Amino acid sequence: MYSLILDSSTQILYISLVEDNAILFEKYMPGNKDHAKNIVYLVNQALENNHIESKDLDEIIVGYGPGSYTGVRMAVTVGKMMAVFMHKPLYVISSLKLMASGTKGIVLSTIDARRGNVFGCILDTNKDSYIVDEAHTLLSDLKNTNYEYEVSDANFKVDPFYVISHKVFVDNPDLLVPNYLRETEAERNLNDKAI
């Protein structure tokens, strides 16, 4: 069974191709707001390096946020298009959970949301349970809770097998919307003008 995993919610574009119990391809590509130009190239590289065609994929799993508004949309859009046009099942996983997956224990997982804010949670990866739910919050508030390890959007290790075992099926890929956890800056500005 071939699983393609994509996440573009952070500074690092993550792509992996897994067959059953083997990681065939795994890439962490640091980006400077340029995931859009690299994501399709890396998907093609993963498939070509393993002599696999996209039609051979059995499932597509995307990190669907939270994260950078534009960044989150890259993996979600590519995953949706592949799933819809190739009639493949689409699954999602929280990008914060994906980032924490490679660390076993109680993990503080954060993505910079600017101005001292983060998208973050504290997750026990051994029990797959949230100690602090995902939120858009102050980093200082999260750091006041006990945790053993910390991962951030600039430094994380993914366990693709954890991701595969904790994925959530998307019944209708056409309706999948990224998990932004807050309004975009444009939406906030528009709402401020309306008041």
Side-chain angles (χ1 to χ4, degrees):
M1 179 166 174
Y2 292 114
S3 303
L4 178 67
I5 303 170
L6 310 170
D7 187 84
S8 60
S9 301
T10 71
Q11 299 175 37
I12 299 169
L13 174 61
Y14 176 79
I15 295 180
S16 65
L17 178 64
V18 176
E19 180 184 20
D20 301 323
N21 296 319
I23 300 170
L24 303 178
F25 179 92
E26 186 173 44
K27 184 77 171 182
Y28 297 83
M29 178 173 271
N32 186 18
K33 299 182 181 180
D34 60 356
H35 292 337
K37 77 176 187 182
N38 295 315
I39 191 166
V40 173
Y41 168 76
L42 288 176
V43 168
N44 286 334
Q45 184 181 24
L47 297 172
E48 288 174 4
N49 286 0
N50 291 284
H51 311 289
I52 297 167
E53 294 184 26
S54 56
K55 67 179 177 65
D56 297 325
L57 293 171
D58 294 293
E59 64 183 11
I60 300 155
I61 305 166
V62 297
Y64 78 122
S68 152
Y69 180 73
T70 303
V72 171
R73 291 184 303 174
M74 294 298 108
V76 170
T77 300
V78 170
K80 282 171 65 168
M81 291 183 69
M82 291 179 77
V84 169
F85 291 117
M86 296 185 312
H87 306 286
K88 301 293 181 179
L90 180 64
Y91 297 86
V92 294
I93 188 165
S94 158
S95 296
L96 291 167
K97 187 179 279 192
L98 176 137
M99 290 167 46
S101 67
T103 305
K104 302 306 174 212
I106 299 173
V107 183
L108 168 62
S109 183
T110 61
I111 298 171
D112 183 22
R114 298 188 290 184
R115 298 182 184 111
N117 293 297
V118 294
F119 301 109
C121 69
I122 299 177
L123 176 71
D124 185 338
T125 56
N126 292 324
K127 298 178 182 175
D128 189 39
S129 63
Y130 286 97
I131 294 164
V132 176
D133 288 334
E134 294 185 8
H136 175 246
T137 187
L138 291 170
L139 178 59
S140 58
D141 289 347
L142 282 173
K143 289 204 173 234
N144 288 329
T145 304
N146 291 332
Y147 57 91
E148 299 169 326
Y149 306 100
E150 183 174 349
V151 297
S152 73
D153 55 336
N155 183 17
F156 59 90
K157 175 76 175 131
V158 176
D159 176 349
F161 302 109
Y162 181 97
V163 171
I164 290 167
S165 66
H166 294 87
K167 66 192 180 199
V168 177
F169 180 67
V170 176
D171 188 46
N172 187 344
D174 291 326
L175 300 179
L176 176 61
V177 176
N179 176 21
Y180 295 120
L181 280 186
R182 71 168 180 191
E183 291 180 316
T184 65
E185 186 173 352
E187 290 171 321
R188 288 191 304 275
N189 291 340
L190 182 64
N191 289 337
D192 288 346
K193 288 180 183 178
I195 297 176

